[in-house]
Amino acid sequence: MLALGIEGTAHTIGVGIVDDSANILANEVEMYKPEKGGIHPREAANHHAEKVVPLIEKALKAARVGSKDLDLVCFSQGPGLGPCLRTAATAARALSLSLEIPIIGVNHCIAHLEIGVAKTPSRDPVLLYASGGNTQVIAFANGRYRIFGETLDIGVGNMLDKLGREIGIGYYAGPKIERLALEGKKLLELPYSVKGMDMAFSGIMTAALYLKSKGESLEDICYSVQETCFAMLTEVTERAMAHVEKREVLLGGGVVQNKRLRGMVERMAEERGAAMYVPEAKLCIDNGAMIAWTGLVMYRSGIRMTIGDTQIRQRFRTDDVDVTWRR
Ligand code: FE2
């Protein structure tokens, strides 16, 4: 069985093709990069609309299959930016109708977890999903993927991007902040915002900008922001692992490329006698293969959708999904 998946929740449009043994035959992505400022949903959607058909063709070519070989089309149904989600959904519906193959809408956050389980030795992990738009700690419990902790305001990656713009180091600032942080020596005080099991990041950015106005160095600021945010993420992940008694932690999302974050989570896992797993980089970021794979697993478990079931869900919650495929 061959599934094609279309990812389009935010700045990335991706098309992946997988088979039923989780072999990834193609995984093509294009990222929308705003000239200045943050992501504009309609402009990102225009970018996706322009790129999606060429990406489908590129993916079919890379997988060395024809469109007639596809058995299933899957798409990111949510959560995400409305115009972007609609573009991916429209492309998926068009493929489903023209090729007369079934369609499955996939929860984007769950797809990060499912691809990690398929492509690493991890079987029943706590997922730390840290990206621009999302920051959640998720684990399977009582028939659903439950959110054990999440951001109360913005995703940690979004905060790093905004901070990067404000301090003049450009968009997709994560890697630059990571490099600057290596030169930081002084841990500056920032609000450590863990509330119960949830986190907040925007106040950290405000405090960091205040420290910059007081003359603190960019290196110390980046170092302190990383130490504070990543300690928060690690703490919430550890408490979730203790609560659900799981011995695996899986990382997903663009921010987990950061070596300091990985180092902190790895050390926490080691101290608990647990294992950390990280999928390869192109499976951590938003991509079509994770959507294709999750849709395929859902379809195989008996889930069916009509075109009427494929409306996008901007606030699609991880715990809204009845996880029939894990029973
Ligand atoms: Fe994502």
Side-chain angles (χ1 to χ4, degrees):
M1 182 172 193
L2 279 188
L4 179 143
I6 304 176
E7 155 62 32
T9 53
H11 48 54
T12 298
I13 180 83
V15 178
I17 299 175
V18 304
D19 68 14
D20 41 15
S21 304
N23 293 308
I24 295 172
L25 309 183
N27 199 15
E28 307 293 332
V29 294
E30 291 266 3
M31 203 186 270
Y32 157 77
K33 292 191 176 88
E35 277 168 20
K36 62 173 196 177
I39 182 169
H40 189 295
R42 238 179 2 243
E43 279 174 19
N46 288 343
H47 165 269
H48 296 355
E50 216 170 88
K51 302 285 183 190
V52 68
V53 174
L55 274 181
I56 291 169
E57 286 165 353
K58 202 170 162 192
L60 288 168
K61 207 168 162 196
R64 299 177 186 209
V65 296
S67 57
K68 296 268 182 291
D69 299 318
L70 299 173
D71 301 295
L72 178 68
V73 58
C74 316
F75 70 100
S76 54
Q77 195 165 13
L81 304 170
C84 300
L85 291 172
R86 267 189 287 279
T87 304
T90 305
R93 287 183 204 118
L95 271 185
S96 167
L97 291 170
S98 63
L99 299 172
E100 297 178 340
I101 54 175
I103 184 168
I104 295 284
V106 171
N107 179 293
H108 173 94
C109 307
I110 290 178
H112 276 288
L113 194 146
E114 289 295 347
I115 198 70
V117 168
K119 301 304 278 186
T120 73
S122 170
R123 286 296 159 263
D124 185 20
V126 168
L127 171 72
L128 169 57
Y129 170 32
S131 71
N134 296 289
T135 298
Q136 297 184 344
V137 175
I138 304 166
F140 185 75
N142 305 323
R144 297 207 172 212
Y145 286 118
R146 313 265 170 198
I147 302 170
F148 286 89
E150 63 189 315
T151 178
L152 296 168
D153 48 24
I154 56 175
V156 62
N158 193 336
M159 188 277 284
L160 295 172
D161 278 337
K162 280 186 175 169
L163 178 68
R165 282 204 305 278
E166 296 288 339
I167 63 178
I169 58 173
Y171 200 58
Y172 298 118
K176 290 175 202 157
I177 289 176
E178 183 173 6
R179 277 198 297 276
L180 284 166
L182 289 173
E183 308 295 322
K185 292 182 178 63
K186 189 164 59 162
L187 187 62
L188 306 166
E189 199 175 320
L190 291 166
Y192 186 92
S193 313
V194 174
K195 293 161 193 184
M197 285 289 279
D198 294 327
M199 298 155 276
F201 294 101
S202 54
I204 296 174
M205 190 191 73
T206 311
L209 293 178
Y210 175 75
L211 290 172
K212 181 172 179 267
S213 75
K214 292 283 160 205
E216 298 290 353
S217 75
L218 285 188
E219 288 81 0
D220 287 340
I221 289 172
C222 292
Y223 169 70
S224 307
V225 165
Q226 281 200 172
E227 292 301 301
T228 306
C229 294
F230 298 167
M232 289 161 53
L233 293 170
T234 306
E235 182 199 331
V236 172
T237 306
E238 176 169 30
R239 283 163 54 203
M241 289 173 80
H243 181 72
V244 288
E245 296 178 354
K246 296 204 198 272
R247 311 198 70 78
E248 299 171 349
V249 57
L250 176 70
L251 301 186
V255 181
V256 309
Q257 294 311 311
N258 187 297
K259 291 195 183 69
R260 178 62 182 142
L261 175 58
R262 287 185 189 203
M264 275 195 202
V265 175
E266 190 166 32
R267 188 161 159 209
M268 175 274 285
E270 269 170 25
E271 285 174 2
R272 302 186 54 77
M276 180 184 83
Y277 298 103
V278 193
E280 60 177 300
K282 62 185 183 194
L283 296 177
C284 279
I285 58 169
D286 292 353
N287 66 90
M290 70 177 190
I291 301 296
W293 172 247
T294 308
L296 191 150
V297 168
M298 291 168 71
Y299 185 82
R300 240 177 10 195
S301 82
I303 292 173
R304 300 290 182 268
M305 289 185 185
T306 64
I307 292 291
D309 298 326
T310 62
Q311 297 106 316
I312 60 147
R313 300 174 67 179
Q314 289 185 65
R315 299 188 184 281
F316 197 176
R317 296 276 300 173
T318 305
D319 44 16
D320 274 348
V321 179
D322 188 15
V323 185
T324 51
W325 61 95
R326 283 191 59 143
R327 300 223 177 99

